[in-house]
Amino acid sequence: MSDEPHTGGCQCGAIRFRVEGAFGGFYAPLVSVGGAAPTWTRGAPKHFASSNFVVRGFCPACGTPLTYEGPDGVALAIGAFDHPEVIVPGVQFGVEGKLPYVDGLAALPNRHTIEDIAAAPFLSDVVSNQHPDHDTETWPPK
């Protein structure tokens, strides 16, 4: 568990957050923030009640999954953080849902996205509309 602040947001930049103290994992790609709710520094998520106990927050502009909110607290999607690489998993929770091939992923050949240019030539012309993964004064830029 890290007590340093972590920031993040949705893909389009309409929603940003800051949280202190976080840890996470990948089979349920969520980062527990304990009893403290995130501080929404720009915008706020919409919610979908996925069960009688849980709501899931998402960006209403781009659909990025952001939260899992249940009776035991709030968790944030690890992919929504600006620097998910610094949030080191401490436990694998929910492994009963783990797909059988996951443990072998590291043994597969590796390729960078741009290496698929022959099969997907549009990749060389992609212009991203995604937020730059850091806090900005305004979004979209003027």
Side-chain angles (χ1 to χ4, degrees):
M1 172 103 114
S2 168
D3 290 331
E4 62 191 61
H6 298 284
T7 58
C10 68
Q11 290 183 29
C12 75
I15 297 177
R16 297 289 300 158
F17 64 82
R18 175 186 171 94
V19 65
E20 294 184 21
F23 65 93
F26 294 94
Y27 295 128
L30 300 168
V31 176
S32 173
V33 294
T39 299
W40 301 106
T41 58
R42 177 170 45 223
K46 290 238 178 202
H47 291 92
F48 169 71
S50 61
S51 76
N52 59 325
F53 290 109
V54 172
V55 296
R56 296 172 187 263
F58 61 94
C59 174
C62 68
T64 299
L66 295 167
T67 68
Y68 173 97
E69 302 171 38
D72 56 345
V74 176
L76 295 163
I78 197 165
F81 281 87
D82 295 338
H83 298 284
E85 72 278 4
V86 301
I87 304 169
V88 179
V91 64
Q92 294 182 37
F93 183 79
V95 295
E96 69 279 359
K98 181 171 66 168
L99 300 171
Y101 55 77
V102 169
D103 290 334
L105 290 177
L108 293 175
N110 291 289
R111 289 192 349 218
H112 291 269
T113 305
I114 201 67
E115 292 177 46
D116 199 25
I117 198 77
F122 71 89
L123 291 173
S124 63
D125 296 323
V126 169
V127 176
S128 177
N129 293 320
Q130 295 186 61
H131 190 267
D133 285 343
H134 58 80
D135 285 321
T136 55
E137 287 296 318
T138 59
W139 190 260
K142 296 181 185 207

